[in-house]
Amino acid sequence: MSPRRRTLLAACALAVPVASALLPTAEAAVPPEHAIVVCQSASFYANYDSSGGPTGLKRVLGYGDKIGHTPGSHPVYNGWAASFDYGPNDWGYLRIECIGGYDSW
């Protein structure tokens, strides 16, 4: 093998780990932790607008309804927490104080 080819192969071998270290990694989405609604009723909204608050009332959830929220991973805006309603399987926002009973089901 020629010295030039050997140098080229060595350079390629060094470039692969360096290039892979520079590529962004795909992070897995954090699945919501199982929780329940701990308020007698909790309004569940489709979105949260920073200037106007929650928008698009989807439904009202009752005490014990199965939901999901992961503290520290899913956003909370002015007390409105991004949550997952396991009934119809969709995302929305409800008051953070209405989420409790983590890992109870």
PDB file of all heavy atoms in Angstrom, residues 4-20:
ATOM      1  N   ARG A   4       0.763   7.368   0.417  1.00  0.00           N
ATOM      2  CA  ARG A   4      -0.338   8.326   0.245  1.00  0.00           C
ATOM      3  C   ARG A   4      -1.679   7.670   0.604  1.00  0.00           C
ATOM      4  O   ARG A   4      -2.511   8.263   1.276  1.00  0.00           O
ATOM      5  CB  ARG A   4      -0.355   8.823  -1.196  1.00  0.00           C
ATOM      6  CG  ARG A   4      -1.440   9.834  -1.463  1.00  0.00           C
ATOM      7  CD  ARG A   4      -1.402  10.279  -2.910  1.00  0.00           C
ATOM      8  NE  ARG A   4      -2.571  11.060  -3.207  1.00  0.00           N
ATOM      9  CZ  ARG A   4      -2.553  12.326  -3.542  1.00  0.00           C
ATOM     10  NH1 ARG A   4      -1.404  12.950  -3.641  1.00  0.00           N
ATOM     11  NH2 ARG A   4      -3.661  12.951  -3.784  1.00  0.00           N
ATOM     12  N   ARG A   5      -1.892   6.434   0.145  1.00  0.00           N
ATOM     13  CA  ARG A   5      -3.139   5.714   0.445  1.00  0.00           C
ATOM     14  C   ARG A   5      -3.238   5.434   1.943  1.00  0.00           C
ATOM     15  O   ARG A   5      -4.307   5.540   2.534  1.00  0.00           O
ATOM     16  CB  ARG A   5      -3.183   4.417  -0.359  1.00  0.00           C
ATOM     17  CG  ARG A   5      -4.470   3.657  -0.158  1.00  0.00           C
ATOM     18  CD  ARG A   5      -4.575   2.514  -1.171  1.00  0.00           C
ATOM     19  NE  ARG A   5      -5.710   1.697  -0.904  1.00  0.00           N
ATOM     20  CZ  ARG A   5      -6.896   1.872  -1.460  1.00  0.00           C
ATOM     21  NH1 ARG A   5      -7.082   2.833  -2.329  1.00  0.00           N
ATOM     22  NH2 ARG A   5      -7.895   1.061  -1.163  1.00  0.00           N
ATOM     23  N   ARG A   6      -2.135   5.079   2.576  1.00  0.00           N
ATOM     24  CA  ARG A   6      -2.115   4.811   4.008  1.00  0.00           C
ATOM     25  C   ARG A   6      -2.490   6.070   4.787  1.00  0.00           C
ATOM     26  O   ARG A   6      -3.283   6.024   5.735  1.00  0.00           O
ATOM     27  CB  ARG A   6      -0.728   4.311   4.411  1.00  0.00           C
ATOM     28  CG  ARG A   6      -0.700   3.526   5.661  1.00  0.00           C
ATOM     29  CD  ARG A   6       0.657   2.952   6.028  1.00  0.00           C
ATOM     30  NE  ARG A   6       1.762   3.295   5.141  1.00  0.00           N
ATOM     31  CZ  ARG A   6       2.486   2.417   4.458  1.00  0.00           C
ATOM     32  NH1 ARG A   6       2.241   1.129   4.570  1.00  0.00           N
ATOM     33  NH2 ARG A   6       3.459   2.794   3.681  1.00  0.00           N
ATOM     34  N   THR A   7      -1.985   7.215   4.374  1.00  0.00           N
ATOM     35  CA  THR A   7      -2.300   8.490   5.013  1.00  0.00           C
ATOM     36  C   THR A   7      -3.780   8.827   4.835  1.00  0.00           C
ATOM     37  O   THR A   7      -4.444   9.269   5.771  1.00  0.00           O
ATOM     38  CB  THR A   7      -1.431   9.624   4.432  1.00  0.00           C
ATOM     39  OG1 THR A   7      -0.054   9.270   4.606  1.00  0.00           O
ATOM     40  CG2 THR A   7      -1.718  10.932   5.105  1.00  0.00           C
ATOM     41  N   LEU A   8      -4.288   8.597   3.644  1.00  0.00           N
ATOM     42  CA  LEU A   8      -5.691   8.868   3.361  1.00  0.00           C
ATOM     43  C   LEU A   8      -6.602   7.983   4.218  1.00  0.00           C
ATOM     44  O   LEU A   8      -7.586   8.458   4.801  1.00  0.00           O
ATOM     45  CB  LEU A   8      -5.981   8.648   1.872  1.00  0.00           C
ATOM     46  CG  LEU A   8      -7.409   8.919   1.420  1.00  0.00           C
ATOM     47  CD1 LEU A   8      -7.811  10.348   1.723  1.00  0.00           C
ATOM     48  CD2 LEU A   8      -7.545   8.635  -0.060  1.00  0.00           C
ATOM     49  N   LEU A   9      -6.296   6.708   4.322  1.00  0.00           N
ATOM     50  CA  LEU A   9      -7.089   5.800   5.148  1.00  0.00           C
ATOM     51  C   LEU A   9      -7.033   6.188   6.629  1.00  0.00           C
ATOM     52  O   LEU A   9      -8.036   6.141   7.330  1.00  0.00           O
ATOM     53  CB  LEU A   9      -6.619   4.359   4.963  1.00  0.00           C
ATOM     54  CG  LEU A   9      -6.983   3.705   3.628  1.00  0.00           C
ATOM     55  CD1 LEU A   9      -6.324   2.333   3.524  1.00  0.00           C
ATOM     56  CD2 LEU A   9      -8.478   3.605   3.476  1.00  0.00           C
ATOM     57  N   ALA A  10      -5.860   6.589   7.091  1.00  0.00           N
ATOM     58  CA  ALA A  10      -5.721   7.015   8.478  1.00  0.00           C
ATOM     59  C   ALA A  10      -6.540   8.282   8.745  1.00  0.00           C
ATOM     60  O   ALA A  10      -7.200   8.412   9.779  1.00  0.00           O
ATOM     61  CB  ALA A  10      -4.252   7.247   8.821  1.00  0.00           C
ATOM     62  N   ALA A  11      -6.520   9.209   7.809  1.00  0.00           N
ATOM     63  CA  ALA A  11      -7.288  10.443   7.960  1.00  0.00           C
ATOM     64  C   ALA A  11      -8.783  10.147   7.994  1.00  0.00           C
ATOM     65  O   ALA A  11      -9.528  10.728   8.795  1.00  0.00           O
ATOM     66  CB  ALA A  11      -6.962  11.412   6.828  1.00  0.00           C
ATOM     67  N   CYS A  12      -9.244   9.230   7.145  1.00  0.00           N
ATOM     68  CA  CYS A  12     -10.660   8.850   7.139  1.00  0.00           C
ATOM     69  C   CYS A  12     -11.051   8.178   8.449  1.00  0.00           C
ATOM     70  O   CYS A  12     -12.119   8.434   8.997  1.00  0.00           O
ATOM     71  CB  CYS A  12     -10.957   7.919   5.976  1.00  0.00           C
ATOM     72  SG  CYS A  12     -10.927   8.766   4.374  1.00  0.00           S
ATOM     73  N   ALA A  13     -10.187   7.321   8.956  1.00  0.00           N
ATOM     74  CA  ALA A  13     -10.475   6.626  10.205  1.00  0.00           C
ATOM     75  C   ALA A  13     -10.583   7.606  11.373  1.00  0.00           C
ATOM     76  O   ALA A  13     -11.393   7.426  12.282  1.00  0.00           O
ATOM     77  CB  ALA A  13      -9.399   5.587  10.491  1.00  0.00           C
ATOM     78  N   LEU A  14      -9.794   8.660  11.356  1.00  0.00           N
ATOM     79  CA  LEU A  14      -9.859   9.670  12.411  1.00  0.00           C
ATOM     80  C   LEU A  14     -11.054  10.599  12.238  1.00  0.00           C
ATOM     81  O   LEU A  14     -11.610  11.086  13.213  1.00  0.00           O
ATOM     82  CB  LEU A  14      -8.567  10.498  12.437  1.00  0.00           C
ATOM     83  CG  LEU A  14      -7.318   9.774  12.914  1.00  0.00           C
ATOM     84  CD1 LEU A  14      -6.091  10.663  12.736  1.00  0.00           C
ATOM     85  CD2 LEU A  14      -7.465   9.350  14.362  1.00  0.00           C
ATOM     86  N   ALA A  15     -11.465  10.831  11.001  1.00  0.00           N
ATOM     87  CA  ALA A  15     -12.549  11.771  10.728  1.00  0.00           C
ATOM     88  C   ALA A  15     -13.912  11.224  11.158  1.00  0.00           C
ATOM     89  O   ALA A  15     -14.778  11.973  11.571  1.00  0.00           O
ATOM     90  CB  ALA A  15     -12.579  12.127   9.249  1.00  0.00           C
ATOM     91  N   VAL A  16     -14.117   9.910  11.089  1.00  0.00           N
ATOM     92  CA  VAL A  16     -15.420   9.335  11.410  1.00  0.00           C
ATOM     93  C   VAL A  16     -15.817   9.606  12.859  1.00  0.00           C
ATOM     94  O   VAL A  16     -16.900  10.110  13.111  1.00  0.00           O
ATOM     95  CB  VAL A  16     -15.453   7.831  11.061  1.00  0.00           C
ATOM     96  CG1 VAL A  16     -16.707   7.172  11.598  1.00  0.00           C
ATOM     97  CG2 VAL A  16     -15.358   7.644   9.562  1.00  0.00           C
ATOM     98  N   PRO A  17     -14.986   9.317  13.861  1.00  0.00           N
ATOM     99  CA  PRO A  17     -15.398   9.605  15.241  1.00  0.00           C
ATOM    100  C   PRO A  17     -15.592  11.107  15.493  1.00  0.00           C
ATOM    101  O   PRO A  17     -16.492  11.493  16.217  1.00  0.00           O
ATOM    102  CB  PRO A  17     -14.275   9.053  16.102  1.00  0.00           C
ATOM    103  CG  PRO A  17     -13.518   8.128  15.237  1.00  0.00           C
ATOM    104  CD  PRO A  17     -13.730   8.572  13.836  1.00  0.00           C
ATOM    105  N   VAL A  18     -14.754  11.924  14.879  1.00  0.00           N
ATOM    106  CA  VAL A  18     -14.874  13.365  15.067  1.00  0.00           C
ATOM    107  C   VAL A  18     -16.179  13.861  14.452  1.00  0.00           C
ATOM    108  O   VAL A  18     -16.928  14.613  15.074  1.00  0.00           O
ATOM    109  CB  VAL A  18     -13.665  14.109  14.458  1.00  0.00           C
ATOM    110  CG1 VAL A  18     -13.882  15.604  14.469  1.00  0.00           C
ATOM    111  CG2 VAL A  18     -12.397  13.745  15.214  1.00  0.00           C
ATOM    112  N   ALA A  19     -16.504  13.415  13.248  1.00  0.00           N
ATOM    113  CA  ALA A  19     -17.731  13.839  12.579  1.00  0.00           C
ATOM    114  C   ALA A  19     -18.959  13.363  13.344  1.00  0.00           C
ATOM    115  O   ALA A  19     -19.917  14.098  13.501  1.00  0.00           O
ATOM    116  CB  ALA A  19     -17.761  13.323  11.148  1.00  0.00           C
ATOM    117  N   SER A  20     -18.925  12.145  13.835  1.00  0.00           N
ATOM    118  CA  SER A  20     -20.090  11.640  14.561  1.00  0.00           C
ATOM    119  C   SER A  20     -20.275  12.362  15.885  1.00  0.00           C
ATOM    120  O   SER A  20     -21.384  12.502  16.370  1.00  0.00           O
ATOM    121  CB  SER A  20     -19.989  10.135  14.774  1.00  0.00           C
ATOM    122  OG  SER A  20     -18.872   9.828  15.584  1.00  0.00           O
TER     123      SER A  20
END
